[in-house]
Amino acid sequence: VRGALSLPSLDQLSIHPTMSSFKKFQTAVQEEAFAVLKNGAAKIESFQAECATHFAYPTLSKATEEFASVGAAATNPKMTACVSSTLDVMDAVGKDLQLIETFLNMHIPKMEDGNNFGVTVQLALLKQISDTQEALGKNIESLSGYAASRADVLDKLSLPSSSSTTTKSSSSTTTDGKKEDKSSESTEEKQTAGNPSSVSHTARLGALVTVDSLYYSKAQRAALSAIASYMAVLDFLEKNQEKLKQPKGSAGSRSAYSGMY
């Protein structure tokens, strides 16, 4: 018929479900999350081995006695290792939890009435992860202040020190058409003598040991807390993996993808 409207085919329109553009991401993040679960036990054992190595003192007072023997050294190698190890553990836990959190967010189904128990399970784990990530962030920030705190106390100890200042000067003069260069150099050395026997010095040395002991305790608690939270999240994930993958069951998995917000 002349002038009739010619409609394009479905292939020409390239019509696809909303879910298709996100399906590859859903699959990828699910694989990453369950790879974390698969490797979780081995990683937890490695974390526990790190703790056994760096937090070997039976009590905090025993650690304090050891730190007192370090005296006013510029660094406490054992404490530096404790803090560094704990920061590494928390960083690793945080990264793995981020993968699981992304998996959960990408598997929240389309919001609709009824059959939302699986979503409740997802939200419960998301809340657990969020609380853990918040605690990790605070502990990382706190432990990152160790070096600065120790340096502040060291600065107040008024330890013996020496310094030298070198002054150089040069000049040139011309006499009877001849140029003559002259240079001179002088060095001034200064020494400051501390008083290790003074009451204030002894008190400040005690404060330095206290800083080491305080951060040892912080690092130990932060490491153990991170490991315990990591274990709890992986245990929840393992026990509820079917609900977390398909919160509305196999029928609900055919629904188009939709985020929470």
Side-chain angles (χ1 to χ4, degrees):
V1 179
R2 194 175 195 178
L5 180 63
S6 177
L7 296 175
S9 67
L10 289 179
D11 289 338
Q12 289 173 316
L13 286 173
S14 297
I15 295 177
H16 300 285
T18 305
M19 184 178 179
S20 64
S21 59
F22 291 97
K23 181 64 177 177
K24 63 179 181 180
F25 299 117
Q26 286 180 292
T27 301
V29 297
Q30 178 172 305
E31 290 174 354
E32 290 175 341
F34 283 91
V36 170
L37 178 61
K38 179 180 178 181
N39 301 321
K43 189 169 285 190
I44 289 168
E45 288 176 355
S46 71
F47 291 159
Q48 291 174 330
E50 283 284 307
C51 283
T53 298
H54 296 292
F55 303 105
Y57 302 107
T59 63
L60 184 58
S61 61
K62 289 294 183 183
T64 302
E65 289 177 12
E66 176 72 20
F67 299 153
S69 66
V70 175
T75 61
N76 181 338
K78 288 188 177 180
M79 260 310 301
T80 301
C82 285
V83 171
S84 179
S85 173
T86 300
L87 289 173
D88 285 344
V89 167
M90 292 191 292
D91 180 64
V93 169
K95 287 175 179 176
D96 280 358
L97 295 189
Q98 185 66 57
L99 292 175
I100 297 172
E101 183 178 27
T102 303
F103 152 69
L104 292 171
N105 281 320
M106 289 292 289
H107 283 74
I108 292 177
K110 181 179 179 180
M111 304 299 284
E112 55 190 10
D113 294 334
N115 192 23
N116 288 318
F117 176 72
V119 179
T120 302
V121 175
Q122 289 177 317
L123 295 179
L125 184 53
L126 280 170
K127 177 65 165 58
Q128 189 173 339
I129 291 173
S130 177
D131 290 346
T132 301
Q133 292 283 42
E134 183 179 358
L136 288 173
K138 290 179 178 178
N139 285 334
I140 288 173
E141 183 177 357
S142 176
L143 286 182
S144 296
Y146 167 66
S149 296
R150 197 173 196 280
D152 287 344
V153 177
L154 272 173
D155 188 52
K156 294 175 182 176
L157 275 172
S158 300
L159 297 173
S161 63
S162 62
S163 62
S164 63
T165 304
T166 301
T167 304
K168 295 182 179 180
S169 63
S170 62
S171 62
S172 63
T173 59
T174 302
T175 305
D176 295 331
K178 293 183 179 180
K179 186 177 180 181
E180 183 179 359
D181 294 326
K182 293 182 179 181
S183 63
S184 63
E185 181 177 316
S186 63
T187 302
E188 180 183 5
E189 294 188 356
K190 292 183 179 180
Q191 290 188 339
T192 302
N195 184 7
S197 62
S198 70
V199 174
S200 62
H201 179 89
T202 302
R204 286 169 180 164
L205 189 58
L208 183 64
V209 175
T210 298
V211 168
D212 285 343
S213 298
L214 172 63
Y215 277 91
Y216 175 85
S217 177
K218 282 185 176 185
Q220 185 178 40
R221 285 182 285 115
L224 294 176
S225 177
I227 294 170
S229 296
Y230 187 61
M231 290 174 64
V233 168
L234 294 187
D235 181 62
F236 193 113
L237 179 61
E238 183 175 53
K239 290 176 178 176
N240 299 281
Q241 52 185 297
E242 293 308 317
K243 276 293 182 185
L244 295 171
K245 290 177 183 176
Q246 298 180 343
K248 288 184 176 290
S250 58
S253 65
R254 294 193 293 269
S255 299
Y257 170 83
S258 176
M260 276 187 69
Y261 305 100

